[in-house]
Amino acid sequence: MTGLTIVLLLVVLATAVATGARHWSLPAPSLLVVAGLAVGLMPWVPDIHVAPEVISTLVLPPLLYASAEEISGRELRAVWRPVTILVFGLVLASAAAVGMIASALTPLTASTAFVLGAVLASTDPVAVTALGRRLSLPPRVQAMVQAESLFNDATSLVLYKVAVATAVTASAVSVPSAAGQFVMLGGGGALIGAAVAAVVTLIRRRTEDPVLETVIALVTPYASYVLAEDLHTSGVTAVIVAGVVLGSTGHKLTNAHIRLQIHAVYGTVVFLLESVVFAIIGLELPTLIRQLAADEHGWPLWVPAVAFTVMAIRLLWVFPLSALMQYRRGRNRISWRVPAVLSWAGTRGVMPLAAALSIPLTTHTGAPLPHRALILTLTTGTIALTLVVQGFTLAPVVRASGIALEPEHTAREEAQARQTLARAALTELEQLEAAEAAPEVVLKQARRHVEARLRQADADADPLDSTDDPQARPADTYREIRQALIAVETTELQRLYEANKISNATRRRLQRTLDLEEAALGD
């Protein structure tokens, strides 16, 4: 079986499982890990070896960028205090706790155990975002979970580099050196990410070509990552900063048609990469286990111990921190609902895998790095266990906490926003009518359309006033009529083309116009 065949089969498997997860409303990352593990245990499946650059350079940048785009600067400003404490304090505590447990239970030395702790110290933005898409968390809680998972990578990356340098060279840890590395990695990466975002903004403001816009959107995360890594700063931080900046301003850079195309293309890329990378985590674990030495066969006990330590230290950090913050705000009764969700959302995923794969093969003397295969096994096993345990149970925890937003709340918020937009459009339309800025027939048609949208928004905002009478939902009726007419026009367009009455270029242009109109109608 060739490498290309394995890749194609992996894409088919991952896509099928992810599609099933969406259909059954299951967490896709967790289901993909289970499916990958099941396939990897089959005797006829060859060993899976993933090169470090495949995950860190090819897969990670667009997934991080997509996660970062979902957070706005306003949301970050609202949660920066608790996120900062988690980004620094919890990462250091997790690395120390995992290192001590691994050093006590496994054959790992203190330095190699610290490498494992640094690798598993941070939560994973890709896994957290993928799991969080299914949950209706309040905006502040969702922002805290995603921001922490995005920005704790810089801290864990510094720890990782210090730990690897200690394990490879057998040198002592220098606190001033570690602090300088953090400033260089985190600060330098942030500056490069902001610079890339500024350049991309200038280019996109002067471009109206959909193909070029799409290429720029796809290249941006890779450019941020590679440029930052080449300058010996944090590529992860650069991608995150570029994603946050462009995610907050991207709607001002292009028109609706280009945004639709970019969103569709990027959504497809992210779906495929997410699906494949979580399946790889499950597939690779049996291969790693077969590479373990004789003194490393205690992994079935060590993996749960390390995973339990990762989850326990997060619980022991988040709950007291939340209680202290609530007490300082003057609350007499401490609520455990939000910290329960925050603590249980700390899954590990692609970031720890990328870090573990990049661990050097040898020490500075040229000798093999001791127990590298065990570190990879413990890392991959912990990732798989947290994705399965926390991934499958996060939704029940959210439901039990009672903080999830009801679907009616979200629908009502959207309807009220549509009311506001429609009224603003009516106000502008009245000014155009007063100025006689367009033919009367055009203005009347526009008014009918906006008033229909407003009546639909009124009905959605106050469902008690609506009935099952189709006349009470004019926008739905209008949408159905337009969709039926578009279907007729599409059929007629195809007939004209097959009758050689129009060229293929004309057919493609007209079909795109009809597609955009249908997309604008919504579901």
Side-chain angles (χ1 to χ4, degrees):
M1 187 178 293
T2 65
L4 179 59
T5 303
I6 293 175
V7 171
L8 291 176
L9 291 177
L10 181 59
V11 170
V12 172
L13 168 69
T15 304
V17 174
T19 303
R22 290 189 176 187
H23 178 72
W24 297 318
S25 298
L26 294 174
S30 306
L31 195 61
L32 284 162
V33 168
V34 172
L37 184 59
V39 173
L41 291 173
M42 295 179 181
W44 51 267
V45 175
D47 288 348
I48 303 297
H49 298 280
V50 181
E53 59 271 12
V54 171
I55 301 296
S56 61
T57 306
L58 180 64
V59 175
L60 195 57
L63 296 184
L64 287 173
Y65 185 81
S67 300
E69 272 195 319
E70 297 183 11
I71 299 182
S72 68
R74 186 190 69 179
E75 292 172 334
L76 286 176
R77 287 191 294 271
V79 300
W80 72 270
R81 287 187 178 88
V83 167
T84 301
I85 298 174
L86 294 174
V87 163
F88 291 99
L90 182 54
V91 167
L92 292 170
S94 298
V98 170
M100 288 188 294
I101 292 296
S103 179
L105 298 180
T106 71
L108 295 177
T109 63
S111 59
T112 52
F114 185 44
V115 172
L116 176 66
V119 166
L120 292 172
S122 63
T123 56
D124 186 76
V126 179
V128 168
T129 302
L131 292 171
R133 291 192 189 108
R134 303 175 52 249
L135 307 174
S136 299
L137 296 176
R140 181 180 175 85
V141 177
Q142 181 71 19
M144 286 180 62
V145 171
Q146 286 189 260
E148 181 215 348
S149 64
L150 285 167
F151 288 98
N152 60 15
D153 296 321
T155 307
S156 64
L157 187 62
V158 171
L159 286 180
Y160 167 76
K161 289 184 177 293
V162 171
V164 168
T166 303
V168 171
T169 64
S171 59
V173 177
S174 171
V175 175
S177 175
Q181 282 191 2
F182 176 80
V183 173
M184 176 62 68
L185 289 169
L191 289 175
I192 291 172
V196 170
V199 173
V200 170
T201 299
L202 291 175
I203 295 174
R204 291 180 63 180
R205 280 179 175 170
R206 291 161 174 78
T207 304
E208 294 183 356
D209 185 345
V211 175
L212 185 57
E213 286 270 13
T214 304
V215 172
I216 292 172
L218 291 173
V219 169
T220 298
Y222 292 110
S224 304
Y225 186 88
V226 172
L227 181 60
E229 290 292 321
D230 286 347
L231 294 176
H232 305 291
T233 62
S234 172
V236 170
T237 305
V239 173
I240 291 170
V241 170
V244 171
V245 172
L246 291 172
S248 301
T249 60
H251 63 284
K252 303 176 183 178
L253 303 179
T254 56
N255 57 45
H257 296 177
I258 295 177
R259 288 196 300 271
L260 281 172
Q261 177 169 311
I262 292 176
H263 184 269
V265 172
Y266 219 93
T268 302
V269 171
V270 169
F271 175 80
L272 287 174
L273 291 179
E274 277 185 356
S275 301
V276 169
V277 75
F278 287 117
I280 286 176
I281 292 173
L283 276 169
E284 195 178 31
L285 187 55
T287 301
L288 294 172
I289 291 172
R290 288 190 283 268
Q291 297 174 352
L292 295 178
D295 62 341
E296 299 172 339
H297 287 168
W299 68 267
L301 296 177
W302 302 335
V303 167
V306 171
F308 174 79
T309 301
V310 166
M311 292 185 282
I313 197 68
R314 186 172 179 86
L315 289 168
L316 295 174
W317 186 276
V318 171
F319 274 85
L321 174 63
S322 177
L324 177 61
M325 295 185 68
Q326 292 182 62
Y327 176 77
R328 292 185 61 183
R329 291 173 184 167
R331 294 187 179 180
N332 297 325
R333 186 176 180 180
I334 304 299
S335 172
W336 304 111
R337 300 188 301 167
V338 171
V341 173
L342 286 176
S343 60
W344 206 242
T347 55
R348 269 59 180 174
V350 184
M351 273 298 302
L353 178 63
L357 287 172
S358 62
I359 295 174
L361 296 174
T362 61
T363 65
H364 69 294
T365 62
L369 186 70
H371 304 295
R372 183 179 185 274
L374 179 59
I375 296 175
L376 283 170
T377 301
L378 294 177
T379 299
T380 308
T382 301
I383 293 170
L385 199 57
T386 58
L387 280 172
V388 171
V389 174
Q390 294 178 290
F392 279 119
T393 57
L394 182 57
V397 169
V398 172
R399 287 194 295 268
S401 70
I403 68 171
L405 299 177
E406 296 295 331
E408 293 80 5
H409 177 276
T410 303
R412 190 180 305 113
E413 181 182 62
E414 181 181 339
Q416 290 171 349
R418 286 192 281 114
Q419 282 179 321
T420 303
L421 296 178
R423 290 194 178 102
L426 280 177
T427 300
E428 177 66 18
L429 189 58
E430 290 171 355
Q431 295 177 359
L432 294 174
E433 290 173 340
E436 297 182 354
E440 183 179 357
V441 64
V442 175
L443 294 173
K444 285 184 177 180
Q445 183 180 7
R447 174 174 286 277
R448 284 195 299 269
H449 176 69
V450 174
E451 287 176 345
R453 288 169 48 202
L454 181 58
R455 286 193 295 271
Q456 178 65 66
D458 290 339
D460 291 341
D462 189 6
L464 295 178
D465 292 339
S466 63
T467 66
D468 293 333
D469 182 1
Q471 296 299 325
R473 303 182 67 84
D476 286 349
T477 304
Y478 176 80
R479 185 184 301 114
E480 292 172 1
I481 291 173
R482 284 300 303 137
Q483 287 173 340
L485 293 176
I486 290 172
V488 171
E489 291 177 76
T490 301
T491 302
E492 180 65 11
L493 177 63
Q494 187 64 25
R495 189 192 68 79
L496 291 173
Y497 174 70
E498 292 175 354
N500 291 322
K501 293 185 177 180
I502 58 174
S503 67
N504 185 52
T506 300
R507 183 191 65 83
R508 290 171 61 89
R509 284 196 300 270
L510 293 176
Q511 186 62 66
R512 175 173 172 76
T513 301
L514 291 172
D515 291 342
L516 289 170
E517 184 176 358
E518 185 172 6
L521 291 173
D523 296 329

